[in-house]
Amino acid sequence: MHSGSERRPATGAVRLAWVDIAKSAAIVLVVFYHVGRVGLGAAPGTVGPATRPWLDLNMVLVPVRMPVFFLVSGLLAASALSRPWPRVLRGKVLDLLWPYVLWTVLFGFVWVHASFPDDPGTWFWYNLRMLPFGGLAYWYLSLLIVFFLTAKALRRYPVPVLVGTLVLLAAAPAIGTLVDANGDQSGTVNVMRLATFAVWFFAGAYLPALVRRMATAGGPAGLVAAVAGYALLAYLFYYDHAPGGVEFFLAPVGVLASVWAAVAVARFGWVCRLSGYLSRRTLAIYVLHPILIHATVWAARESGADPLGDLDNVVVDFLFVPVFALLVTAVAVGFHDLAGRVGLGWLFRWPVRPAVSPSAPSPGSGVPPAPEPAPQRTPA
């Protein structure tokens, strides 16, 4: 790989710039998704011709966002699999488990007042009750813990594990049907997520060299072909009611296109610097953005205003989703930086730090966000 696409951090391990680009782009798209879904959903009158393209784009990107997150997270976790158990439990697991629990509680307080003002107590308890079952808003962190512990425990058996994740992926619909008959909807969705996304994390964790080689194998021609292929598959699946089976190609082609796009823009220094900055704050963006979005809805509702207002101006209507998504991201990043300066860094990592900090960076830099549905067709 050319020198402009990689850098060497303080740990001494090679850090690929395209990994930061893919991860930071994915978290911004997750924020974008939830601004469109939660925000516009709270104010149906604002969904019109100017906002519809954003909703459609969000839907079309569903098969891409989380697979990219898990692939990159597995890639970043690969080097930690050989570390001693005490070190990874303290430096990896607790640094994920603590924000998962802490921010679930904080999110629940805001969420119930924004979405269930007539019965906040019931839904706040439901939010807490889902903690052992993958959670609601922060299910990604719970799956990341499960995947990492499994990858660590079974690292001597990579081939059987990878085959097992492919079996899980193929059996995901049947697993969802089986679990749905015996549990609640949120638990069922989390089981489906586990079956769907495991293959991406374990591919990154167990096959990092192969992933890096594939990242540089496309070139401009490969990127164009992958993007065109994904656009065609998405059209067939979402709008043309193509025969079953098309959905199984969406994620692989979309992830390939995303990785090759990240490699292509890694030649620009400013992109690498910005993505590196955002990727180190992915956890903060992830845990804060659902709270910021719901807090906005809550505050607007308490003031008696329409959560988003009746946007009669087509230009304002069109720009609202991307502008508000960028604003939420900026506020989350700013809060993270401020927290670090005033001694509140424990909000984003396990507060009990070792006397001598390990050389590896803290985890949680992998991403993004609240519940995201499986791909669904829409009327042509």
Side-chain angles (χ1 to χ4, degrees):
M1 181 174 292
H2 56 81
S3 59
S5 63
E6 66 182 42
R7 55 190 170 89
R8 185 172 296 275
T11 61
V14 171
R15 175 88 171 203
L16 303 178
W18 71 261
V19 173
D20 284 340
I21 294 170
K23 187 171 67 163
S24 57
I27 189 59
V28 171
L29 288 176
V30 166
V31 178
F32 179 91
Y33 171 80
H34 290 113
V35 166
R37 190 176 183 213
V38 176
L40 294 181
T46 64
V47 180
T51 53
R52 177 58 57 185
W54 298 123
L55 302 182
D56 288 345
L57 180 61
N58 267 325
M59 175 189 66
V60 167
L61 292 178
V62 164
V64 178
R65 273 182 297 256
M66 296 316 298
V68 169
F69 263 128
F70 280 105
L71 178 69
V72 170
S73 297
L75 195 63
L76 294 174
S79 63
L81 298 180
S82 60
R83 297 173 189 165
W85 274 105
R87 184 176 174 185
V88 297
L89 290 176
R90 182 187 63 238
K92 280 282 186 183
V93 177
L94 289 179
D95 274 357
L96 292 171
L97 183 61
W98 167 253
Y100 170 63
V101 175
L102 173 64
W103 288 97
T104 292
V105 175
L106 298 176
F107 168 78
F109 178 75
V110 177
W111 174 60
V112 297
H113 285 88
S115 302
F116 307 100
D118 297 330
D119 190 15
T122 298
W123 290 99
F124 185 80
W125 169 242
Y126 178 71
N127 177 56
L128 296 183
R129 186 163 58 85
M130 283 302 298
L131 268 170
F133 305 100
L136 298 179
Y138 304 119
W139 59 268
Y140 169 81
L141 292 179
S142 64
L143 284 192
L144 196 58
I145 294 170
V146 171
F147 289 164
F148 178 79
L149 290 176
T150 303
K152 167 68 175 171
L154 302 178
R155 67 189 181 90
R156 298 184 184 278
Y157 312 98
V159 174
V161 172
L162 288 169
V163 171
T165 61
L166 290 173
V167 172
L168 279 177
L169 178 62
I175 293 173
T177 301
L178 177 64
V179 175
D180 189 49
N182 298 281
D184 73 16
Q185 184 178 7
S186 297
T188 300
V189 171
N190 283 340
V191 171
M192 289 282 289
R193 288 167 175 151
L194 184 150
T196 302
F197 300 131
V199 64
W200 298 105
F201 178 89
F202 285 94
Y206 285 162
L207 304 171
L210 177 61
V211 172
R212 289 193 293 267
R213 285 197 297 270
M214 290 186 64
T216 57
L223 173 59
V224 171
V227 171
Y230 185 80
L232 176 61
L233 290 170
Y235 173 79
L236 292 175
F237 179 72
Y238 287 108
Y239 300 104
D240 199 41
H241 302 282
V246 171
E247 63 269 28
F248 291 106
F249 296 96
L250 277 168
V253 175
V255 169
L256 201 58
S258 300
V259 169
W260 286 348
V263 172
V265 300
R267 68 188 64 188
F268 300 106
W270 69 270
V271 174
C272 295
R273 289 189 294 273
L274 177 61
S275 62
Y277 176 81
L278 291 176
S279 69
R280 293 188 294 274
R281 291 154 178 81
T282 300
L283 177 63
I285 299 171
Y286 173 63
V287 297
L288 281 167
H289 86 270
I291 293 178
L292 292 172
I293 294 171
H294 283 87
T296 301
V297 175
W298 181 17
R301 181 172 289 139
E302 287 295 311
S303 70
D306 187 312
L308 298 181
D310 291 322
L311 306 179
D312 296 324
N313 187 301
V314 174
V315 175
V316 174
D317 193 5
F318 180 76
L319 292 177
F320 177 83
V321 171
V323 169
F324 189 51
L326 293 177
L327 178 62
V328 167
T329 302
V331 171
V333 167
F335 181 86
H336 170 274
D337 291 354
L338 178 62
R341 293 190 184 98
V342 299
L344 296 178
W346 55 267
L347 288 171
F348 304 103
R349 65 174 186 267
W350 178 243
V352 181
R353 313 310 295 173
V356 178
S357 299
S359 59
S362 63
S365 59
V367 186
E372 182 161 321
Q376 297 178 350
R377 301 179 188 272
T378 58

